[in-house]
Amino acid sequence: MVSATVGKGTALGAVLLSLLAVPAHAATTTAGPGPATTTATAKPLPAPDMAALDGVLRTALSQGAPGAMARVDDNGTQYTAAEGVADRSTGRGIRATDRFRIGSVTKSFSTVVLLQLAGEGKLDLDASVNSYLPGLLPDDRITVRHVLSHRSGLYDYTNHMFAQTVPGLEAVRNKVFSYEDLVKLSLEKPRTNAPGAAYSYSNTNFVVAGMLIEKLTGHSVRTEYTHRIIEPLGLRDTFYVHPDTAIPGQHAHGYLTPDQAGAALVDSTEQTVSWAQSAGAMISSTRDLDRFFSALVQGKLLPAAQLTQMEQWEPVNSTQGYGLGLRRRDLSCGISVVGHTGTVQGYYTYAFTSQDGRRSVTALANTSNNASVLDTLSRTLEAAFCGTQATKAVTRGAAPTERHEDIAPAITRH
């Protein structure tokens, strides 16, 4: 059964919104503390267009996603929308509170830990990776900064691993890799460019990032994520369970679209995600990701000097940039937002915040290997940040073609 909720809450009391014309949709209200304002003169954003956002989710369903959801936190006012099902076997409706696998959004968490270590004087971003992990990489010129900005030239091993979508998943679903295993797979292939010469997205970079975290701290990445980010921010739905295969608590199942047109979706929920680890194995929720990115840009996780480093953008294309474990996207209304995308088998995630952290949105579709859904889900950013100022071409017409970077970036998906 398809269901949807849209809600708004403020500290002054709950106000029900009647944004949807379909009578079966129930309105709900939520409220919570807003993020601290970083500047008293921040330019107000257009109001979120929740009707348009819900329309984006409906479109994703029409294109093959079993379910889709989004949560907007607008300086303490929360809006939620959800369409479709979390579990095809039971028919349970998806909820904006469901947990899910966040894929490459994990890269932002890994980067925050390393930049905290840089702020503590334990890491030099411009030092060779091999100075911390002797002999790991074939070129001493590859620096920590190159790794975190995808300019190392290290081949992305997922290109080979997931050249075929479903067979690739089944080959690794229950497998446990070491970091060294994954780096070895990368080094079996030629590098894509000289260190620092070009942006070339590669999961190998953030496998190396995980190795750096564990070498410099003497602790697992799970421990460092927990002590440095999850506990300080009170993220109650965020976990790193590797190599366990289950998502704890109420969660959305993930459904992988086979390469063969018309083939049945594959439930990909339970897996080790050992093929990704510090590059993409975390679990979270829309609430927690909104809180994480808002806190990040407001300086609650990093000293100003390190946050500045994180936001030094390398061009990806005419509307996107990549910093250190962080994406920037320029929207149709002239607003730029920062955050990250995430793909892991069965899940597409967009998690972004305004540059002052006052408004954040996280959107999720519980399918992957579906280019149409990926393109459509990007339009949640336009609805959340541009509101009715978004161009018709973006909100109602053709969405821009998304880069398939998070898994197997060199493989064309249709």
Side-chain angles (χ1 to χ4, degrees):
M1 176 181 178
V2 174
S3 64
T5 60
V6 178
K8 176 181 178 181
T10 68
L12 297 178
V15 180
L16 294 179
L17 297 182
S18 179
L19 295 175
L20 302 178
V22 181
H25 290 192
T28 63
T29 62
T30 58
T37 303
T38 55
T39 171
T41 59
K43 181 181 178 181
L45 296 173
D49 188 340
M50 291 302 297
L53 188 146
D54 192 70
V56 171
L57 303 185
R58 288 173 183 248
T59 299
L61 262 63
S62 73
Q63 295 168 331
M69 61 180 175
R71 179 185 188 275
V72 179
D73 190 312
D74 187 18
N75 198 30
T77 298
Q78 291 85 41
Y79 306 81
T80 62
E83 292 280 353
V85 298
D87 186 339
R88 296 177 74 221
S89 64
T90 66
R92 181 179 74 80
I94 198 168
R95 302 172 185 171
T97 54
D98 286 349
R99 295 167 179 169
F100 52 90
R101 298 193 183 280
I102 68 173
S104 288
V105 182
T106 303
K107 292 177 171 67
S108 296
F109 284 77
S110 297
T111 303
V112 166
V113 173
L114 285 175
L115 290 177
Q116 287 181 358
L117 291 169
E120 295 163 9
K122 299 174 182 176
L123 176 70
D124 181 350
L125 293 175
D126 295 308
S128 170
V129 168
N130 283 346
S131 67
Y132 300 107
L133 299 167
L136 177 69
L137 301 181
D139 193 330
D140 287 342
R141 295 176 299 166
I142 298 175
T143 67
V144 177
R145 188 186 301 276
H146 291 151
V147 164
L148 297 182
S149 61
H150 293 296
R151 294 185 298 125
S152 69
L154 294 170
Y155 174 80
D156 191 330
Y157 58 87
T158 66
N159 288 323
H160 178 74
M161 189 177 283
F162 301 122
Q164 292 184 297
T165 300
V166 174
L169 165 67
E170 298 301 350
V172 301
R173 185 193 283 266
N174 296 305
K175 191 167 184 178
V176 178
F177 294 93
S178 68
Y179 286 127
E180 290 78 8
D181 291 335
L182 299 174
V183 172
K184 182 179 179 181
L185 289 174
S186 170
L187 297 183
E188 289 173 356
K189 301 290 185 178
R191 282 176 278 159
T192 57
N193 52 261
Y199 170 86
S200 181
Y201 191 96
S202 175
N203 284 287
T204 308
N205 290 315
F206 280 81
V207 170
V208 173
M211 297 179 76
L212 286 166
I213 290 170
E214 296 196 349
K215 179 64 178 291
L216 293 169
T217 65
H219 301 141
S220 68
V221 292
R222 178 188 301 183
T223 296
E224 294 302 312
Y225 294 148
T226 300
H227 291 169
R228 292 175 176 271
I229 302 172
I230 295 171
E231 289 178 346
L233 293 184
L235 305 183
R236 59 178 180 245
D237 301 313
T238 304
F239 308 93
Y240 184 83
V241 302
H242 172 267
D244 292 345
T245 60
I247 300 176
Q250 179 178 287
H251 60 275
H253 284 237
Y255 295 95
L256 181 58
T257 306
D259 293 324
Q260 299 75 25
L265 297 177
V266 174
D267 190 322
S268 53
T269 309
E270 293 203 357
Q271 57 168 306
T272 62
V273 201
S274 192
W275 62 267
Q277 298 187 54
S278 51
M282 293 188 77
I283 294 161
S284 193
S285 67
T286 57
R287 169 195 174 273
D288 279 9
L289 292 184
D290 281 353
R291 178 170 292 193
F292 168 70
F293 280 112
S294 176
L296 173 61
V297 302
Q298 291 181 343
K300 296 178 182 179
L301 290 171
L302 292 173
Q306 278 64 53
L307 183 57
T308 297
Q309 295 293 313
M310 197 175 191
E311 295 181 333
Q312 290 185 353
W313 309 110
E314 178 77 11
V316 173
N317 57 30
S318 61
T319 60
Q320 297 185 44
Y322 202 94
L324 302 183
L326 194 66
R327 293 189 185 278
R328 190 204 74 236
R329 298 177 70 102
D330 305 325
L331 304 180
S332 68
C333 58
I335 292 169
S336 295
V337 295
V338 299
H340 215 287
T341 52
T343 302
V344 64
Q345 290 92 344
Y347 302 91
Y348 282 140
T349 303
Y350 282 78
F352 285 82
T353 192
S354 57
Q355 292 185 320
D356 61 4
R358 291 169 59 88
R359 183 181 299 170
S360 302
V361 65
T362 298
L364 178 282
N366 60 342
T367 195
S368 67
N369 194 34
N370 183 322
S372 296
V373 172
L374 178 65
D375 289 343
T376 291
L377 202 65
S378 70
R379 290 158 48 193
T380 59
L381 304 183
E382 295 283 338
F385 293 105
C386 294
T388 58
Q389 295 182 19
T391 64
K392 290 183 179 181
V394 172
T395 58
R396 298 186 180 89
T401 300
E402 289 295 293
R403 294 175 62 94
H404 292 259
E405 289 193 326
D406 294 332
I407 297 180
I411 305 298
T412 301
R413 301 296 187 194
H414 300 287

